[in-house]
Amino acid sequence: VLLPQLGEFDSSEFCELLVPILGDLEQSGLSLRIIGIADVEAALKFSSYTGLPLDVLRVDPDGALHQELGLHAGPGWTIPDSFPDSVLSALLSTLPGGAPEEGGQLRPVATAWLNYLAMCAGLSAPGTLQEIARGYSGDRTAPERLAPDTVVKAGFVEIGPGVGPVKLGPIKYTNAWSKEEGYQRPVELATVRLRHMVEVLSNWQSYVTNPTAIAQRGATFLFDGGGVALYEYRHRGVLTYSATMRRPLTFLTPFIGAKALNPLGLGDISVSKSA
């Protein structure tokens, strides 16, 4: 598995699903190796946050392997030389990490952000906008994503336990679907992503060690013992780390069975009905 920056929605979200099946992969004879764009410090922090063992995690500080494989990195836009550095610096100062101190990094970092934000807007990123919307609208064909006792806090926002009570500063309310179970409820996946965002933004300098690689996407490959590729998927944009985002590990079903369809083991009426 090749991940984007370890400080990324995709990386945290994907590994959140992979960690619970590590034992299943081992029993099936599959060895997991994860390569993320990061340095050693970022890998240690990511391992602590996600529970991913360090022995399966490798780092590629510049994303050299990603580039060698020709993985997606947005629309490939560049910034005209005529565009003032002062304006670029001002724009970057509004984004996480700010403008780089080293002048030679200003345009590479700005270019990376330009391509990343383009993908966030759905440009050269098929499936990204649909996946963002699915995080808010819910999905009755996907399993739950938040355990009943989970509480997510982001500034004055507090959601939980579960998908029920919500606090927005002094305002408190309970979602209409708080008692519903067995599927991905509205805003549930967006809440998972909010939790990951809080972790990354709170530790940006630790996680994002090479901002010039922010736009770089990842891929998943499955090889047999002889090195022949049995499965391959290349990320198409942001939040599209699987060909089957409703159940991202579906490709592992032939090896670990139904656990691949609901690795977190939370409520899943869709599978129950089909069983």
Side-chain angles (χ1 to χ4, degrees):
V1 174
L2 280 81
L3 297 176
Q5 293 267 359
L6 291 186
E8 255 266 12
F9 289 113
D10 300 50
S11 300
S12 298
E13 197 171 308
F14 199 2
C15 288
E16 182 180 29
L17 301 176
L18 288 170
V19 168
I21 65 163
L22 291 174
D24 302 273
L25 293 177
E26 184 176 359
Q27 290 179 12
S28 69
L30 293 179
S31 297
L32 176 65
R33 293 294 180 269
I34 294 177
I35 303 173
I37 300 175
D39 63 9
V40 173
E41 180 186 353
L44 291 170
K45 195 159 193 64
F46 187 76
S47 172
S48 176
Y49 174 63
T50 62
L52 184 71
L54 285 171
D55 60 353
V56 305
L57 181 59
R58 305 290 185 271
V59 295
D60 182 351
D62 301 317
L65 180 57
H66 300 63
Q67 296 172 40
E68 185 176 341
L69 291 170
L71 299 184
H72 193 50
W77 291 348
T78 57
I79 298 173
D81 293 339
S82 59
F83 202 86
D85 285 358
S86 58
V87 176
L88 288 179
S89 181
L91 291 173
L92 287 176
S93 68
T94 67
L95 297 171
E101 295 181 1
E102 185 180 342
Q105 290 292 298
L106 181 64
R107 287 184 175 272
V109 171
T111 299
W113 270 111
L114 175 65
N115 284 279
Y116 179 77
L117 292 175
M119 287 188 287
C120 290
L123 301 173
S124 190
T128 290
L129 293 183
Q130 294 91 324
E131 186 57 25
I132 292 173
R134 194 176 70 89
Y136 288 96
S137 64
D139 188 342
R140 288 191 173 273
T141 67
E144 296 177 15
R145 287 301 304 270
L146 282 173
D149 59 349
T150 299
V151 176
V152 176
K153 297 181 179 181
F156 63 87
V157 178
E158 180 177 318
I159 303 172
V163 298
V166 177
K167 296 180 182 178
L168 301 175
I171 302 173
K172 300 179 182 180
Y173 65 91
T174 299
N175 287 319
W177 50 84
S178 62
K179 300 298 184 181
E180 297 182 15
E181 299 178 343
Y183 73 99
Q184 181 192 302
R185 284 71 56 93
V187 193
E188 183 173 8
L189 184 52
T191 302
V192 172
R193 291 167 178 165
L194 174 64
R195 179 177 62 193
H196 296 324
M197 183 179 71
V198 170
E199 168 67 16
V200 172
L201 293 181
S202 299
N203 302 281
W204 183 266
Q205 299 299 335
S206 297
Y207 278 119
V208 183
T209 55
N210 183 0
T212 65
I214 284 175
Q216 185 65 65
R217 301 297 87 197
T220 298
F221 299 94
L222 181 60
F223 300 100
D224 66 12
V228 176
L230 303 176
Y231 174 83
E232 174 182 328
Y233 174 75
R234 295 167 182 253
H235 301 188
R236 302 176 300 162
V238 177
L239 295 176
T240 57
Y241 54 83
S242 171
T244 54
M245 286 299 294
R246 286 183 170 86
R247 298 175 186 274
L249 304 187
T250 297
F251 69 98
L252 290 172
T253 303
F255 304 94
I256 65 173
K259 184 72 174 288
L261 301 177
N262 184 8
L264 298 178
L266 298 175
D268 191 357
I269 57 175
S270 182
V271 169
S272 300
K273 288 180 178 179
S274 62

